[in-house]
Amino acid sequence: MNIADLRKSYEKAELNENASHADPLQQFEQWLQEAIASEVPEPNAMTLATVASNLRPSTRVVLIKGYDERGIVWYTNYASQKGQELAGNPFAALQFHWVELERVVRIEGRVEKVSDEESDAYFHSRPLDSRIGAWASPQSQVIEGRTLLVTNAAKYAAQFMLKPPRPPHWGGYRLVPDQWQFWQGRKSRLHDRLRYTQNGDQWLRERLAP
């Protein structure tokens, strides 16, 4: 089959100004909870886009671990590629794509590290093997093979036993949104697309052409 011939008609729902929330965080929460309730695969997965100092963008999938009026939170290795890129350019974009619901949410803003207390609390809530894994993996670095990871995991498991501390190179980031976009697939490619941008203490809600 010719890949250019693949087609889908989007007809599940609609998104309009009257039925959407004035606050984008409330709109996001509604859609996220609906994705969870619908049991779509990994509703908490989001694509994170960062830009390096040479202006080359890169993306990867991470998992949202919290959200409130302060922003969207995830956790990772600060020494990873994304960590290094955020250190040089603290702006990023996130995207949720709930395929089964024919919905996309895009979020842009400045990124900051969460507090040590927040990082500690989340780290110690993780399963033991995940906490050991944070020590075992030199994320984004070239390694000779999987044996290194297994060896490191065994070493740190023996060293820390059941109480590994949070690594100094590991913790949380928070994206503080200054723009949101909500996309709902519609028939005939006449999709619904609402953008929220900051306007002082308020959010300006506008419809964009799809």
Side-chain angles (χ1 to χ4, degrees):
M1 185 176 188
N2 187 340
I3 193 171
D5 293 331
L6 293 174
R7 297 283 189 275
K8 178 182 179 180
S9 181
Y10 300 96
E11 302 180 18
K12 287 186 177 295
E14 63 182 41
L15 176 66
N16 62 63
E17 295 84 342
N18 295 329
S20 61
H21 293 281
D23 184 337
L25 183 63
Q26 294 181 24
Q27 184 64 40
F28 171 73
E29 180 171 35
Q30 176 184 327
W31 274 19
L32 176 60
Q33 293 304 320
E34 289 176 359
I36 294 171
S38 298
E39 298 184 341
V40 304
E42 294 195 283
N44 55 334
M46 58 187 185
T47 299
L48 165 65
T50 55
V51 178
S53 58
N54 62 2
L55 304 184
R56 290 180 65 97
S58 59
T59 64
R60 73 288 290 161
V61 176
V62 297
L63 301 179
I64 183 174
K65 292 301 179 180
Y67 64 94
D68 55 26
E69 66 281 352
R70 296 173 297 169
I72 309 295
V73 174
W74 69 94
Y75 292 85
T76 190
N77 188 316
Y78 290 144
S80 64
Q81 179 182 350
K82 55 186 171 295
Q84 294 179 39
E85 291 178 354
L86 287 170
N89 178 19
F91 291 89
L94 300 170
Q95 177 172 288
F96 292 83
H97 187 192
W98 297 307
V99 177
E100 293 78 6
L101 300 180
E102 301 173 355
R103 289 174 173 174
V104 173
V105 179
R106 295 165 55 187
I107 314 168
E108 298 178 12
R110 184 178 181 89
V111 178
E112 60 190 24
K113 289 182 178 178
V114 306
S115 68
D116 287 341
E117 291 76 13
E118 289 175 275
S119 290
D120 286 340
Y122 174 69
F123 182 80
H124 292 297
S125 75
R126 304 178 85 206
L128 177 60
D129 58 350
S130 296
R131 283 178 279 155
I132 294 296
W135 283 95
S137 175
Q139 194 174 117
S140 300
Q141 296 182 27
V142 175
I143 59 175
E144 294 181 357
R146 184 174 177 80
T147 300
L148 175 67
L149 300 178
V150 176
T151 300
N152 282 351
K155 179 181 72 173
Y156 287 113
Q159 177 179 343
F160 296 128
M161 304 297 287
L162 299 178
K163 295 183 178 181
R166 177 173 65 90
H169 57 264
W170 191 98
Y173 286 106
R174 175 179 288 108
L175 184 142
V176 182
D178 56 29
Q179 182 178 140
W180 299 72
Q181 287 194 39
F182 295 85
W183 181 95
Q184 176 70 61
R186 296 296 299 275
K187 190 175 181 180
S188 302
R189 296 300 187 265
L190 301 178
H191 311 302
D192 291 328
R193 185 179 172 194
L194 297 184
R195 179 180 67 186
Y196 295 74
T197 51
Q198 281 188 320
N199 184 20
D201 294 333
Q202 304 295 319
W203 288 95
L204 174 64
R205 180 177 46 189
E206 301 170 299
R207 176 173 289 269
L208 302 182

